[in-house]
Each structure stands twice: as structure tokens, then as C-alpha cells.
């Protein structure tokens, strides 16, 4: 997916100025309803040498990590987040970051474990093949990036949404509200999608929050995160902090102060709007959005933009806390989403789970210690790479069970010669249960189970029924034409071999070797 031109960067800046925005303040108004002209709203950076961020002199620094993970954020929301745009200007953007599955729990499990879903065994949000209970019963929590970093001498904290089916009151046989191993500070809850009237398990004690404005969950998490940063900075101990918001997941509830922002904002109509891709193997050719669906999505998109304002404010506040604590130059700030989201593209109502870039290619932006400013990286990075990256930053060896590789060199502008050639996306047992928070209630048109390869130039998909799709994203960036029928038998055989190898690989060496076989 290509990124925005400088002309669009200027447009974004003018919109933010019109809205009364700054890199450290909330929106005071509404940007003009200019619609995106390309698939991704992330700011482009001109080629050429860029200096690294200042690195403290003296002994090797083991940097702190502030990892902000949001829920269901699509690329088209970034343009409305001035603090994220500032983070992008100050750091590195990974333009081909790809999730292992466009579904919450499998993606989050990959982050914690550094493994593909076929190795975590978490392929759904709940039930017999997914969710927190399965993750726990398989003893997956005994070895995560949290246990790695704690063993490396880091102070660890988790705040917000953990895994689907986790609830603050669960004891898991311990006799008290359950806190997973590896975490020094814990403040997590479940089913807090409305951001009000929720429980948090705060270090083994359940605390209830109501519907007062100050109870809005993103703000509560932000305050807790700032306190953790301040208190830990005073000790001199390095730390890793994950803040995992429920925003902007449906029902897209904004903070009360943001609920009137962006009046009249329109849902973007890209080239993929209400169009079924040519030769689609699973979408009916005649499928069109209904007026009811369009009207609902217009409201939903505006609420999504409103709901990310609190996330954006949190990022600005946390960066200011780091500066005040005197550790900004010793800290990496990471912004990421568990998966993307489509709204009207491909004639699909609001949802995810597909292999389209709207759903699997999401923002990954990193700024801070040792990170090159204003850099765009095209290499393929996945959520299996966080765990080995964190341990690399901590100066310890990665767990042998991880399938991913450290992207620390990429942050400094270095590209390892053996870097992977493709991402694997595997989506099985789709969310068709109405009890699932990701159930797509107004459409039966969710994809069959599939495995997919996503490189910097194409996407290849194999569905459970044997159907295949191939999108040349260089010639067709919106993925509007399946050209699998034009491939030679030899090329199809090559793609199938690599995909089968990726979908069954175990460990970083094996998975990396298979990924490099693709051309």
C-alpha cells in the first residue's frame, strides 16, 4: 500500500490548524471534509539521509518501552490524530506492517508469544479454539514477552484490554483475582467496549468504575500509565509498559468531551467503495451496500474519529510524562493496532477478518531512543516480531519458541540481508457467533477460512474451499481485481509451496527461511 504525498501532508497540517489542533492539545473544532485520495493516510517521508534521534552517551542504554496498542484502528484514522502524526514525524513508520490475523485475540496472542496462530493455537476470540481460557489452559502465559522482560530486569506493566474472555473477577483457581505471570503492575478488565461501567483487576483487587466522565477508560489508563512511568523512572529501573485501549472498537464510544467534534464528517469513499473485486471468489458480484448500512457507517465513522481523540491525547500526555521524568531520550514509544477495519470498501459493512489491506495492514509507528526520525520502512514486519524486538532492546537472547525476528536494526535504518520476504496471514474459524464482540451482525459476507501471503507488492490468498486470489498491489493498490487466473501453473505451485511452508513453520529460523523463498 502506498503512502501519502507531501501534498497530502500539507493538507493534513492545514486541517489540523483549521481544527485548532496542536501536537499536545485536543481538537477544538472540525477539519474540512476532504476525503482520502489513496488507501492510506499515513504521512509520506521524502527519501534521503535522516539523522537518528539523540542517544545518551556513556554505557549501552537498555531503553524503556511504552507500547500503545489500540483496538480495530484503520489507517484512515491516523490523519485525525495530531500526536500520532507528531510521533510519526519524530520516528519511523513501517508501511508494510501486517497482522497475523485480522481478529483481536489471535493477533494479541501473537504479540505476547511472538508466534503465528498455528503455533499459539489461538485462532478465535472465544470458545474451544480461542480466547483467554484456551491461552491460559495451554500454559501460554508462562512464556511471553512479559516473562522475558521481567527476567531481564525490566519492570513490567499491563493496562487495559488483555485477551477476549478475560474478566477482572476471574480467579483461575488462585483464590483471588487472577494476574498472569510476568507483570509487576496489572490493571486489566473485560467487556469494557463502551469505556464506561467496567471493572479493572488492579494488582489482584477488583475496582469498579461507573459512568462519570472521569471514568472514561482511556483516560483512566492514561493516568495509571503516567503514574507508572513517573514512579519507575525515579528508581532508574528500565521498564516495559503496554497500554491497550478498547477504543476505537465498536460501539465506538468517545470521551464525553469529544462527542460533539467533527460535525458533518463524511465516511471516506476510496476507489474500493461499494465495489466487489473483479473475479472475487467469495463476494457475490451483485452485492451492494444498502442505504441503512451506509447511513449507519456515516455515524460510525464519525464516532470512530471522535473516539481516537482520547487515544491521541494519551499519547501526547505520555510523551510529556517521559520528558518531565527526564527519560524521553531513553524510551521507545510504539503505536500499533491489533487489526484494521473496513467500512464500505468492497461493498462490505463495518468489520474486519478479510485479507484486504484495510484489515491486515495497520499502523506501526516507533519513535524515541536510537530511532531514525522521519523514516519510512518498507520491509515486512509482523506482530510476531514484537517479542524478539523487546528482548533485543533489553540485550538478551530471544526465546527459542518465537517465530519472529527483531526489527531493532530497521529502527536504526539498517536492513538485515536475510530479512523476510513475506508476511503470513492465517484466519480460521471466522467470528460467526453472535456472542463474539467481533460478530458482523448485518452481513453474512465474511470470508471463509483462509491463509495468505502478503509481500510488499502482492497478496496471495488460499481459501478453505480451494479457491485462490492474487492481487497485484503495485498495479492495483486498492485490490480490485483478482488476477490469479493469469498466473502460470508453475507460479501457482511456487506460491502454494511457500504458503504451505509458512502455515506450518515453527521457529524463527524455519519461518524466516521459508519466507525468503518468495519472489
Amino acid at each position: 500500500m502506498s503512502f501519502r504525498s507531501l501534498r497530502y501532508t500539507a493538507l493534513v497540517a492545514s486541517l489540523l490548524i483549521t481544527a485548532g489542533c496542536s501536537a499536545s492539545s485536543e481538537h477544538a473544532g472540525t477539519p474540512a471534509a476532504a476525503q482520502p485520495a489513496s488507501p492510506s493516510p499515513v504521512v509520506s517521508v521524502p527519501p534521503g539521509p535522516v539523522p537518528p534521534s539523540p542517544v545518551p552517551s556513556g554505557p549501552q542504554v537498555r531503553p524503556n518501552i511504552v507500547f500503545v496498542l489500540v483496538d480495530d484502528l484503520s489507517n484512515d484514522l491516523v490523519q485525525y490524530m495530531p500526536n500520532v502524526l507528531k510521533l510519526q514525524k519524530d520516528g519511523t513508520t513501517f508501511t508494510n506492517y501486517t497482522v497475523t490475523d485480522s481478529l483481536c485475540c489471535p493477533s494479541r496472542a501473537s504479540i505476547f508469544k511472538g508466534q503465528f496462530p498455528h503455533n499459539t493455537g489461538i485462532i478465535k476470540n472465544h470458545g474451544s479454539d480461542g480466547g483467554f481460557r484456551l491461552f491460559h489452559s495451554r500454559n501460554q502465559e508462562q512464556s511471553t514477552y512479559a516473562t522475558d522482560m521481567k527476567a531481564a530486569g525490566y519492570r513490567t506493566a499491563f493496562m487495559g484490554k488483555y485477551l477476549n474472555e478475560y474478566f477482572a473477577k476471574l480467579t483461575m483457581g488462585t483464590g483471588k483475582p487472577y494476574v498472569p505471570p510476568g507483570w509487576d503492575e496489572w490493571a486489566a478488565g473485560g467487556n469494557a467496549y463502551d469505556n464506561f461501567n467496567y471493572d479493572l483487576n488492579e494488582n489482584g483487587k477488583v475496582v469498579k468504575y461507573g459512568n462519570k466522565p472521569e471514568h472514561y477508560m482511556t483516560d483512566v489508563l492514561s493516568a495509571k500509565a503516567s503514574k507508572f512511568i513517573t514512579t519507575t523512572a525515579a528508581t532508574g529501573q528500565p521498564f516495559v509498559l503496554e497500554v491497550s485501549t478498547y477504543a476505537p472498537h465498536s460501539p465506538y464510544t468517545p470521551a464525553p468531551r469529544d462527542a460533539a467534534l467533527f460535525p458533518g464528517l463524511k465516511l471516506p469513499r476510496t476507489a474500493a467503495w461499494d465495489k466487489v473485486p473483479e473475479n472475487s471468489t467469495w463476494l457475490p458480484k451483485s452485492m451492494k451496500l444498502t442505504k441503512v448500512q451506509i447511513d449507519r457507517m456515516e455515524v460510525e465513522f464519525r464516532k470512530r474519529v471522535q473516539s481516537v481523540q482520547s487515544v491521541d491525547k494519551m499519547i501526547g500526555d505520555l510523551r510529556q510524562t517521559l520528558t518531565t521524568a527526564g527519560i524521553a531520550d531513553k524510551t521507545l514509544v510504539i503505536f500499533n493496532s491489533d487489526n484494521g477495519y473496513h467500512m464500505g470498501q468492497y461493498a462490505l459493512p463495518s468489520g474486519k477478518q478479510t485479507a484486504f489491506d484495510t484489515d491486515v495492514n495497520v499502523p506501526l509507528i516507533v519513535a524515541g531512543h536510537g530511532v531514525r526520525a522521519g523514516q519510512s520502512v518498507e520491509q515486512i514486519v509482523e506482530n510476531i516480531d514484537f517479542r524478539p524486538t523487546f528482548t533485543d532492546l533489553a540485550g538478551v537472547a530471544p526465546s527459542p519458541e518465537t517465530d519472529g525476528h527483531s526489527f531493532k536494526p530497521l529502527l536504526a535504518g539498517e536492513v538485515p540481508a536475510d530479512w523476510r520476504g513475506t508476511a503470513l496471514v492465517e484466519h480460521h474459524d471466522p467470528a460467526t457467533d453472535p456472542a463474539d464482540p467481533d460478530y458482523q451482525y448485518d452481513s453474512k459476507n465474511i470470508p471463509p477460512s483462509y491463509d495468505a501471503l502478503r509481500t510488499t507488492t502482492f497478496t496471495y490468498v488460499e481459501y478453505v474451499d480451494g479457491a485462490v486470489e492474487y492481487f497485484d498491489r503495485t498495479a492495483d493498490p486498492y485490490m480490485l481485481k483478482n488476477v490469479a487466473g493469469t498466473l502460470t501453473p508453475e507460479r501457482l505451485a511456487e506460491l502454494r509451496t511457500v504458503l504451505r511452508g509458512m502455515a506450518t513453520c515453527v521457529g524463527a529460523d524455519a519461518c524466516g527461511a521459508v519466507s525468503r523463498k518468495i519472489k
Side-chain angles (χ1 to χ4, degrees), residues 421-422 453 455 458 491 495 498 514-519:
T422 185
L453 299 175
T455 72
F458 71 81
R491 178 59 169 166
L495 291 168
V498 173
V514 176
S515 79
R516 292 190 292 274
K517 293 181 179 180
I518 202 70
K519 296 182 178 64

Side-chain angles (χ1 to χ4, degrees), residues 499-518:
L499 182 55
R500 287 303 94 212
M502 289 293 293
T504 56
C505 70
V506 178
D509 289 345
C511 294
V514 176
S515 79
R516 292 190 292 274
K517 293 181 179 180
I518 202 70

Side-chain angles (χ1 to χ4, degrees), residues 150-166:
K150 186 174 176 63
Y154 273 59
R155 190 162 185 238
T156 61
F158 182 90
M159 300 172 182
K161 178 178 176 178
Y162 181 43
L163 297 171
N164 299 74
E165 288 193 316
Y166 176 87

Side-chain angles (χ1 to χ4, degrees), residues 253-304:
T253 305
R257 62 178 177 275
D258 299 324
L261 295 180
F262 306 98
L265 183 66
K266 294 295 184 181
L267 181 68
R269 264 77 163 171
T270 69
W273 170 260
D274 204 16
K275 289 183 181 177
V276 173
E278 185 178 336
N279 303 319
S280 175
T281 64
W282 63 279
L283 289 169
K285 184 184 300 186
S286 61
M287 192 170 79
K288 301 292 289 184
L289 295 167
T290 67
K291 185 178 185 303
V292 170
Q293 289 171 333
I294 294 173
D295 289 346
R296 181 170 62 241
M297 284 190 291
E298 291 283 14
V299 175
E300 290 175 342
F301 181 74
R302 185 165 62 253
K303 291 180 69 176
R304 279 169 63 79

Side-chain angles (χ1 to χ4, degrees), residues 108-114 144-145 158 162-163 183 242 387:
R108 290 164 184 267
S110 286
I111 289 173
F112 286 126
K113 297 291 293 180
T144 65
Y145 86 72
F158 182 90
Y162 181 43
L163 297 171
W183 300 105
E242 179 174 338
R387 185 180 182 185

Side-chain angles (χ1 to χ4, degrees), residues 377-417:
V377 172
E378 294 186 354
Q379 279 68 34
I380 295 287
V381 172
E382 288 203 82
N383 40 5
I384 56 172
D385 298 325
F386 284 115
R387 185 180 182 185
T389 300
F390 291 173
T391 54
D392 192 7
L393 291 166
V396 297
S399 168
E401 71 179 3
T402 61
D403 299 326
H405 292 82
S406 169
F407 58 77
K408 178 184 174 183
L410 299 176
L411 294 171
E414 304 167 3
V415 181

Side-chain angles (χ1 to χ4, degrees), residues 220-238:
V220 170
L221 299 178
S222 180
K224 290 182 177 297
S226 284
K227 182 179 179 181
F228 173 82
I229 291 170
T230 301
T231 56
T232 307
T235 70
Q237 183 179 2

